[in-house]
């Protein structure tokens, strides 16, 4: 399917709902409810016979529908903060652990544009992202280079 398995239809719907409820959204879990007509029409569009719990397949839009534009931008801000923080940790101390958290952060941010990982309450993927971002390591300490010992006074007198 040329619309990313129907995601563009879902994203258009989410953007329309956000425009209708820009400041408050529809509330946490306020959209994907069996008694909500728009949610039912979406599940019918995807040929489900009965109502199923669904999502907008985008963390930012999912939070935007639930909490309006403040929720959308809060999710964007948290994702940016997490990515920048893990990158700074890696720049300061280039260990395999920091490299792993940076790679995970990049993958999670990319995935969050097509899945709702950052919209779930304390979801495992989001927790990995935030743990990586919240780690604060001091820059690696290099061992001091041994200074050559100054010539001893007795050696200087002997050589003169």
């Amino acid at each position: 399917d040329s619309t990313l398995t129907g995601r563009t239809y879902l994203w258009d719907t989410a953007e329309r709902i956000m425009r209708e409820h820009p400041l408050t959204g529809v509330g946490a879990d306020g959209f994907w409810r069996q008694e909500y007509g728009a949610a039912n029409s979406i599940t019918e569009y995807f040929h489900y016979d009965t109502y199923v719990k669904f999502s907008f397949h985008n963390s930012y839009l999912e939070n935007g529908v639930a909490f309006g534009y403040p929720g959308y931008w809060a999710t964007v801000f948290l994702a940016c903060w997490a990515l920048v923080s893990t990158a700074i940790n890696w720049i300061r101390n280039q260990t395999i652990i920091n490299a792993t958290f940076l790679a995970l952060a990049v993958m999670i941010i990319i995935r969050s544009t097509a899945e709702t990982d950052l919209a779930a309450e304390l979801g495992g993927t989001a927790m990995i992202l935030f743990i990586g971002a919240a780690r604060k390591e001091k820059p690696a300490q290099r061992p001091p280079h041994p200074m050559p010992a100054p010539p001893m006074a007795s050696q200087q007198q002997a050589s003169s």
Side-chain angles (χ1 to χ4, degrees), residues 31 33-44 51:
F31 184 82
R33 296 166 41 159
Q34 187 170 3
E35 65 273 10
Y36 194 62
N40 284 323
S41 66
I42 290 173
T43 55
E44 288 173 11
Y51 178 80

Side-chain angles (χ1 to χ4, degrees), residues 142-160:
R142 296 182 184 192
H145 295 290
M147 298 289 291
M152 307 224 12
S154 61
Q155 290 177 343
Q156 289 177 353
Q157 291 174 358
S159 61
S160 355

Side-chain angles (χ1 to χ4, degrees), residues 103-117:
L104 283 170
V106 169
M107 290 188 301
I108 290 168
I109 298 302
I110 291 169
R111 180 181 155 90
S112 70
T113 62
E115 294 299 335
T116 58
D117 295 333

Side-chain angles (χ1 to χ4, degrees), residues 15 19 21 35 38 45 50 95 101 137 141 146:
E15 289 169 357
R19 283 192 302 274
H21 306 278
E35 65 273 10
Y45 175 82
T50 60
T95 64
F101 275 118
E137 281 191 37
Q141 297 292 325

Side-chain angles (χ1 to χ4, degrees), residues 56-112:
F56 287 109
H57 291 281
N58 182 304
S59 295
Y60 312 97
L61 294 175
E62 192 76 30
N63 281 342
V65 168
F67 306 111
Y69 286 108
Y72 175 87
W73 287 110
T75 308
V76 169
F77 173 77
L78 283 173
C80 291
W81 166 79
L83 187 60
V84 169
S85 292
T86 54
I88 288 171
N89 275 340
W90 180 77
I91 289 168
R92 286 184 182 156
N93 194 0
Q94 297 178 7
T95 64
I96 191 69
I97 293 170
N98 289 337
T100 301
F101 275 118
L102 180 57
L104 283 170
V106 169
M107 290 188 301
I108 290 168
I109 298 302
I110 291 169
R111 180 181 155 90
S112 70

